[in-house]
Amino acid sequence: MKRKIGIALSGGGARGIAHLGILKALEEFGITPTHISGTSAGAIAGAFYAAGYSIPEIVAILKKGQIFNFSNILIKRQGFFAMKGFNDIYQECFPNNSFEDLNIPLYVTATDILKGELVYFSSGNLSQALMASSCIPLIFQPVSYNDSVFVDGGVLNNFPTEPLTGQCDIIIGSYVNSVKKELDQVHMNNIVDRCFHLAMKGSVQSKIDNCTLYIEPPNMSQFSLFNLKKSDEIFDYGYQYALTFEKQIKELDLDM
């Protein structure tokens, strides 16, 4: 009997394209997840994958929809961007808009800003859960859903291994926010990004132990969070790095 394989996909904006490169490498090594857990960009990539879209199809959808590209978000209210454009894409790509229709069980992480707690969505309205999970504070309007208000899951958990623990025999972690340790200078546009991910690194570190295999492409901070111009390069960077894990992957015991 095949063992249950869970994959946890971190947030990371445009860097989330690297998850797809990593998933491609895993496929080539004969690994397909039976469960997926994701935050923000990881939840979005995971949803398309769980719905049965091929990796080239997902890359094309994300690039065409400009899902991680702020320059194309045109609707603005009350100083915040609205997420309606994303909802239209999700409604088109997920016709029944339901977790229950996915081929692979999916857990989507979001932050309930009213209760100050983490929520894992795994049933019901898929597009609402994805928008809640990727609703970056101070940029997007918070998402109202299920009698509460949600913002990006990365605020409280940018690397959600927890839903997979106890359900999966093997947990593979894909984390796409590695920060280069020493810089000569940092551009003003990158200071918030760098501070956010440096602060987050401590909580991520404790979860690496939960992973049977942990994949973190180095120096991902070379790529912008909010710009898809280098999407092909980001994809290939994740793919090439994941290929270096061939030995570790072959050592995984995939059968009971």
Side-chain angles (χ1 to χ4, degrees):
M1 193 170 84
K2 289 284 186 185
R3 303 182 87 193
K4 292 179 179 176
I5 302 171
I7 187 160
L9 306 173
S10 73
R15 296 170 193 153
I17 297 282
H19 288 313
L20 298 169
I22 290 166
L23 284 166
K24 180 187 177 187
L26 291 174
E27 279 186 354
E28 291 176 1
F29 290 132
I31 290 183
T32 303
T34 58
H35 297 72
I36 299 173
S37 176
T39 291
S40 200
I44 294 167
F48 282 102
Y49 194 77
Y53 285 95
S54 71
I55 287 171
E57 286 172 337
I58 300 170
V59 172
I61 290 166
L62 296 183
K63 286 165 74 171
K64 183 184 176 186
Q66 298 289 295
I67 283 181
F68 303 133
N69 199 343
F70 275 16
S71 63
N72 282 57
I73 302 169
L74 302 175
I75 307 167
K76 199 174 184 184
R77 301 192 191 106
Q78 300 172 353
F80 298 104
F81 292 107
M83 301 196 82
K84 181 180 182 303
F86 299 135
N87 188 50
D88 293 344
I89 294 167
Y90 299 145
Q91 294 281 354
E92 182 182 341
C93 293
F94 307 116
N96 293 323
N97 195 23
S98 166
F99 278 88
E100 286 74 14
D101 273 6
L102 299 174
N103 301 335
I104 301 171
L106 174 71
Y107 302 90
V108 171
T109 308
T111 300
D112 185 326
I113 201 67
L114 299 185
K115 295 178 182 174
E117 64 186 29
L118 204 59
V119 175
Y120 298 108
F121 293 109
S122 59
S123 62
N125 189 311
L126 181 59
S127 66
Q128 286 292 326
L130 293 178
M131 288 189 295
S133 182
S134 57
C135 184
I136 300 169
L138 305 181
I139 294 173
F140 290 111
Q141 288 175 291
V143 172
S144 296
Y145 178 51
N146 278 1
D147 299 322
S148 199
V149 179
F150 295 91
V151 296
D152 197 296
V155 170
L156 290 180
N157 189 351
N158 203 37
F159 187 49
T161 59
E162 292 86 347
L164 306 175
T165 304
Q167 288 210 76
C168 299
D169 307 298
I170 293 169
I171 297 177
I172 298 173
S174 178
Y175 187 78
V176 296
N177 295 298
S178 55
V179 177
K180 189 175 181 182
K181 283 295 172 66
E182 295 179 16
L183 294 178
D184 296 327
Q185 59 182 7
V186 59
H187 195 278
M188 281 297 294
N189 292 347
N190 296 327
I191 285 178
V192 172
D193 172 26
R194 186 168 174 80
C195 290
F196 183 61
H197 288 107
L198 283 170
M200 199 181 284
K201 186 61 179 173
S203 64
V204 169
Q205 196 66 42
S206 63
K207 299 182 194 187
I208 294 173
D209 293 338
N210 295 337
C211 298
T212 318
L213 182 71
Y214 178 70
I215 301 174
E216 181 183 335
N219 190 20
M220 284 297 292
S221 53
Q222 67 183 294
F223 302 114
S224 167
L225 270 175
F226 306 126
N227 195 321
L228 278 170
K229 284 182 181 175
K230 293 189 175 180
S231 56
D232 292 338
E233 188 179 336
I234 295 169
F235 177 90
D236 194 58
Y237 191 76
Y239 171 67
Q240 294 296 338
Y241 184 71
L243 288 179
T244 68
F245 285 80
E246 181 175 10
K247 182 175 182 290
Q248 293 95 314
I249 289 169
K250 284 184 174 176
E251 289 173 353
L252 292 176
D253 184 7
L254 300 179
D255 297 304
M256 296 291 276

